[in-house]
Amino acid sequence: METLDRGTSFTTQLSAPTSEAYLTVLAQPAGTGDLQGVQLSQDTDWDGAADFTFTVPFWVSGVCANGVIGCQPGTWSSCRFHEWVADASGRVGLREGSASSLGGCYCVNNDCGSNLVWTNLALVLKDLGGGAVGAAQAARPDFSVSEVRVEPPTITYYGQQVGSAAPGPATAVTQQRYYRDAPALEADAQAEFLTQSGDPESLYTLTYGAMSRAGTGASVSVCTVERSVTLEEVTLADILEDRGGTEGAFTPSVDPVSGQTYLRWILGRYTTSSWMPDNSIVDQTRELFIARPASVTGAVLTEVRADDTTLVVLDGTIVFGQPGLCDYDGTGCSRTAGNTTSTPNLDLTAIFQNPGLLQGNARVFVGNNGEGYAVFRIDVEETCEPVEAVANACAGLEANPDCSVQDETVDGVVTVQNGNPTGLIPLGETRTLTGGSCVLAVTPAWWRKERTYLCADGATFDFSDAEERLGSIEDSAVFGAGTLTYTDRRRDGTGAWVVEDGAIAVGLTPAASECELACKTRRPRENTQVGSTGHVADQRLDTAGYDFYYKSCGPDAACPLEVGEELLTPCQCIDEFAEAATVLLSLRAAQEDLICSDGTRK
């Protein structure tokens, strides 16, 4: 590596791939769909051999980005949540936690569907291994992953200590075994094909899918659907609203015993001897609007004052009174003996749990300076209500029949890959929200969806005109004197063919030889070889010989002779193919003469 001004250069190595596995995860599904016997093997001291093994002590029913969930096999009951952790040396294990400490979780056993693990084994292994490796890296920041290999039912991570990397080339030796076992190459290629054909994210699947859609026009769009939740604090005023009337009151009160706040609703004038003239009918009306009936927990008629006779009516229904004493239409009424105060404690909750406007009447027959009223106690529950809003940036694409979901991730869980549903369903993530004096934990079905749509635009492509134009230019192009001339045949705006001559100035190019200039030399050599019949000197009278060399002459066309060399052919375009072919044929004939097929030398 060099600095920009090339003033300083140095050698470095940022990663060092290795054929030794740092961490391997083994997982296989049981008949219930749960993962049984999930096992991790680690090489924590980088000596090429696994020195630590951890087996998950329960069946895994759910997989998360940073942990696993164990439930009653085949069900989603008695579930316990565990988070991947690692000690100071990077040895991975599990620590029991809570649902809120895990993220990106999904169910894999038969409670959520059949064959989920087998269908998505590569994806499940990646999530299991990714969480375990993440815990190891959190404990050991000097650990770096250089390669990941998925070979179901295992996933293997290769890596090294970043701090121990030394200058020099990084060498991966996983393919060296093919030198010793060539047939394994074909078997491994077939295994790789089967693995990639079942993986929606593999290069094979992506390439095959692209070829199957060849010739069709399409566009890719990315969008999100996001849910937001706010807290609305429900107060007394949000639950009930006094719309007023002729007489009465509506006030918050506090129970002196329990300290609970309730609403006191009065129909009529809360005094004594307040109505005249004698022998008259006083009709006192008041309206109450019930906005949130579910928040009304109780309603009781606690007190009725009658001087002489009082009838209590709610929405046209008599809830308290003695209609026989007076017809309340101004006739047939007679004064009774004095006044009375009743405490009926009549439960009227059902009436006050109907939404909308409630009309109350206190009808009083006044014999002489009389009075009459009714008092209600209304208990309500002040709560915090979640208010949801969904920002759907995918609405237009959803409504387009030419668009389909290619990829979808819901809260970190892959639900669609390359147009194929994975069958994985994210578990609801719990978030604790605050607003005003409200604190509430909410768990919707999802929070965020990230989608990629593929939309067919109906366009077709015809490149036949472009091919004809290209052929015209290629066939007519002529280069000379720094200029490229050609004949262009194209269609104009009306669709008619137009033929034009054109020229492009490309500049002069340096002259080039028709071949690489070379020379031939020889150097004397004493032949001292030894064969099965003895030394060369035992077979030949003269052991002198020559070594012949062919050398490139370089840009100055000079043969680079060395001491003791003799120039045989000066720099030129040498063609000695016939001589080379003769030598090869001679060697072949000599080889056949040396073959012994029956034990007798020939």
Side-chain angles (χ1 to χ4, degrees), residues 24 55 59 68 82 136 147 156 175 177 234 340 462 482 499 502 519:
T24 299
T55 301
W59 286 18
V68 294
H82 301 266
E147 184 183 1
T156 304
Q175 286 77 29
R177 61 191 180 94
V234 180
T340 59
D462 182 5
V499 178
C519 58

Side-chain angles (χ1 to χ4, degrees), residues 181-523:
D181 187 11
L185 181 60
E186 182 177 355
D188 288 354
Q190 180 65 19
E192 184 69 15
F193 163 74
L194 295 175
T195 300
Q196 292 205 22
S197 61
D199 183 0
E201 286 190 331
S202 68
L203 180 61
Y204 168 81
T205 302
L206 295 177
T207 304
Y208 180 81
M211 292 300 296
S212 65
R213 293 188 292 268
T216 60
S219 60
V220 176
S221 300
V222 179
C223 61
T224 59
V225 182
E226 193 149 7
R227 186 195 306 270
S228 61
V229 181
T230 57
L231 291 184
E232 180 177 335
E233 190 173 1
V234 180
T235 62
L236 296 176
D238 299 318
I239 302 171
L240 300 172
E241 178 187 352
D242 181 44
R243 295 288 178 87
T246 54
E247 293 288 347
F250 181 79
T251 58
S253 301
V254 178
D255 189 310
V257 178
S258 65
Q260 178 183 353
T261 300
Y262 66 92
L263 294 171
R264 194 164 182 255
W265 190 39
I266 302 175
L267 295 178
R269 185 179 296 177
Y270 195 69
T271 59
T272 59
S273 301
S274 56
W275 299 117
M276 288 189 259
D278 295 344
N279 297 320
S280 62
I281 297 292
V282 179
D283 194 349
Q284 303 159 100
T285 302
R286 199 166 189 88
E287 293 182 339
L288 183 67
F289 184 77
I290 304 172
R292 297 177 182 267
S295 297
V296 177
T297 59
V300 177
L301 178 61
T302 59
E303 181 184 353
V304 178
R305 177 75 176 180
D307 184 6
D308 293 308
T309 303
T310 299
L311 193 69
V312 182
V313 181
L314 295 179
D315 275 346
T317 301
I318 298 174
V319 297
F320 183 85
Q322 296 175 297
L325 297 178
C326 185
D327 55 19
Y328 294 95
D329 61 358
T331 62
C333 298
S334 60
R335 181 175 179 180
T336 59
N339 55 61
T340 59
T341 300
S342 303
T343 55
N345 289 325
L346 182 63
D347 188 352
L348 302 172
T349 303
I351 296 177
F352 283 82
Q353 287 181 338
N354 292 321
L357 194 65
L358 175 65
Q359 186 180 70
N361 298 87
R363 295 178 181 178
V364 183
F365 169 70
V366 180
N368 180 24
N369 291 332
E371 70 273 356
Y373 56 82
V375 180
F376 297 84
R377 170 177 172 155
I378 307 173
D379 292 297
V380 297
E381 182 182 13
E382 296 178 291
T383 60
C384 300
E385 293 186 358
V387 179
E388 294 189 359
V390 176
N392 188 359
C394 301
L397 298 171
E398 290 175 352
N400 189 342
D402 295 325
C403 296
S404 60
V405 178
Q406 286 297 105
D407 298 284
E408 181 185 62
T409 301
V410 180
D411 293 341
V413 177
V414 178
T415 56
V416 179
Q417 271 191 336
N418 294 319
N420 300 316
T422 63
L424 303 177
I425 301 175
L427 302 179
E429 179 182 344
T430 301
R431 296 183 183 179
T432 301
L433 307 179
T434 58
S437 60
C438 291
V439 178
L440 186 66
V442 296
T443 310
W446 53 269
W447 288 96
R448 179 181 175 87
K449 297 180 179 180
E450 300 174 2
R451 291 177 181 166
T452 299
Y453 280 86
L454 183 67
C455 300
D457 55 20
T460 57
F461 303 97
D462 182 5
F463 296 102
S464 59
D465 289 351
E467 290 177 349
E468 185 166 344
R469 185 180 185 186
L470 176 63
S472 174
I473 294 174
E474 285 185 335
D475 294 341
S476 62
V478 176
F479 176 75
T483 302
L484 178 68
T485 60
Y486 60 90
T487 299
D488 186 8
R489 188 170 185 268
R490 63 178 181 83
R491 290 189 184 273
D492 62 11
T494 65
W497 285 102
V498 177
V499 178
E500 297 175 333
D501 292 331
I504 302 175
V506 295
L508 296 176
T509 57
S513 173
E514 62 180 3
C515 68
E516 182 178 5
L517 297 181
C519 58
K520 181 178 180 181
T521 66
R522 71 178 184 180
R523 175 185 293 169

